[in-house]
Amino acid sequence: MSDFTSNFWSVYIAGITLVGIFACMLLLWFSGQAKAMTANDNTTGHVWDGDLREMNNPLPRWWVWLFIITTIFALIYLALYPGLGSFAGKLGWTQAGQYDAEVAKGNKEVEPLYARFNGMKPEEVAGDSQAMAIGERLFMNNCSQCHGSDARGSKGFPNLTDPDSLYGGAPDKIKETLVQGRIGNMPPMAAAVGTPDDVRNVAHYVMSLSNSPHDSLKASLGKAKFGACAACHGVDGKGNQALGAPNLTDDIWLHGWGENAIVAIVNNGKVNQMPAQADKLTESQIHVLASYVWGLSNKAGATALK
């Protein structure tokens, strides 16, 4: 680990860079000072194919000065910009800084476009066709990678078009999720449940809560063991939105349906993360995006604007 905390590699890279530049300058100087033995006709005496002779002419002056200018430019560049290991350069330029500046400029240019949505309720924004077109673009650029272009998600990624929500489907909760992100954590519960048979019995009891196909005998045996799960999912299995614990009584399965899928989660646990978007999107953009996401599962509640 010392290689990653010391400044050795920074010094090494800076040294190699400077040595390379000065070596080129020395090579140019020595080549200009060196005198080759020539014949009376200014040739080196090397002959190829009988009549092809090598002349001993100096390098063209324009080429020499171009080479000198190139090395001087390299030194000036490395003094102003990062290139010598950890040296930041006199101008303090960074790729991250340039990116942030360009994003800030872009956000300022589109700010008037979002201005009229800022004072609108999410239900009104969700009923505005222009706002929804903008929200769709925001969704495609920032959310579709996980939730899909149709927002229906996939295994491990929530379907945003149904009314089921781990943390609550109100607009303010959606906005909170976008701003802060979420980390869902179900710890491995096999030790708390009991034996492997107990875990399978609990899996059948969980399936029985949503009237999914299950073994009634195993479900009845698993009911008593479900107490280990009730702390998060509730005694009735309807979940807890404050914790992000799923409702086990509906037919929506985020991580797969069936005995084997449930047993795997009980045995191994599961960690899901939704990254925060506050550092990528402005407050106005998040307002429009949250309204768009809310509208996906609440089309009837959107207030249409003429």
Side-chain angles (χ1 to χ4, degrees), residues 17 80 267 287:
T17 303
L80 297 177
N267 285 335
H287 178 61

Side-chain angles (χ1 to χ4, degrees), residues 103 107 110 114 277-287:
V103 169
N107 289 336
V110 300
Y114 291 91
Q277 302 295 311
D279 59 340
K280 296 174 58 180
L281 303 175
T282 66
E283 185 176 347
S284 298
Q285 289 172 329
I286 288 177
H287 178 61

Side-chain angles (χ1 to χ4, degrees), residues 139 146-161 254:
F139 182 88
C146 294
H147 295 282
S149 57
D150 59 357
R152 294 185 179 277
S154 61
K155 186 176 180 180
F157 301 99
N159 179 357
L160 303 179
T161 65
L254 180 59

Side-chain angles (χ1 to χ4, degrees), residues 196-223 226 253 257-260 262-263 266:
D197 287 337
D198 290 331
V199 171
R200 294 200 172 273
N201 292 339
V202 165
H204 281 270
Y205 176 71
V206 169
M207 290 188 288
S208 73
L209 293 175
S210 58
N211 293 320
S212 301
H214 63 279
D215 186 305
S216 300
L217 178 59
K218 290 182 179 180
S220 63
L221 294 173
K223 183 176 181 179
F226 184 76
W253 302 88
W257 173 87
E259 178 185 344
N260 290 336
I262 298 173
V263 167
V266 173

Side-chain angles (χ1 to χ4, degrees), residues 176-196:
E176 182 181 289
T177 298
L178 289 172
V179 172
Q180 301 177 1
R182 301 286 188 186
I183 298 180
N185 184 9
M186 168 161 169
M189 297 297 295
V193 171
T195 66

Side-chain angles (χ1 to χ4, degrees), residues 3 12 18 22 26 41 54 75 130 176 203 207 238 286:
D3 289 346
Y12 175 80
L18 292 175
F22 286 114
L26 286 173
D41 58 356
E54 180 184 11
L75 293 173
Q130 183 185 17
E176 182 181 289
M207 290 188 288
K238 292 188 176 181
I286 288 177

Side-chain angles (χ1 to χ4, degrees), residues 80-101:
L80 297 177
Y81 293 93
L84 293 176
S86 60
F87 178 64
K90 293 296 184 180
L91 296 181
W93 178 91
T94 63
Q95 288 181 329
Q98 181 176 351
Y99 170 79
D100 292 339

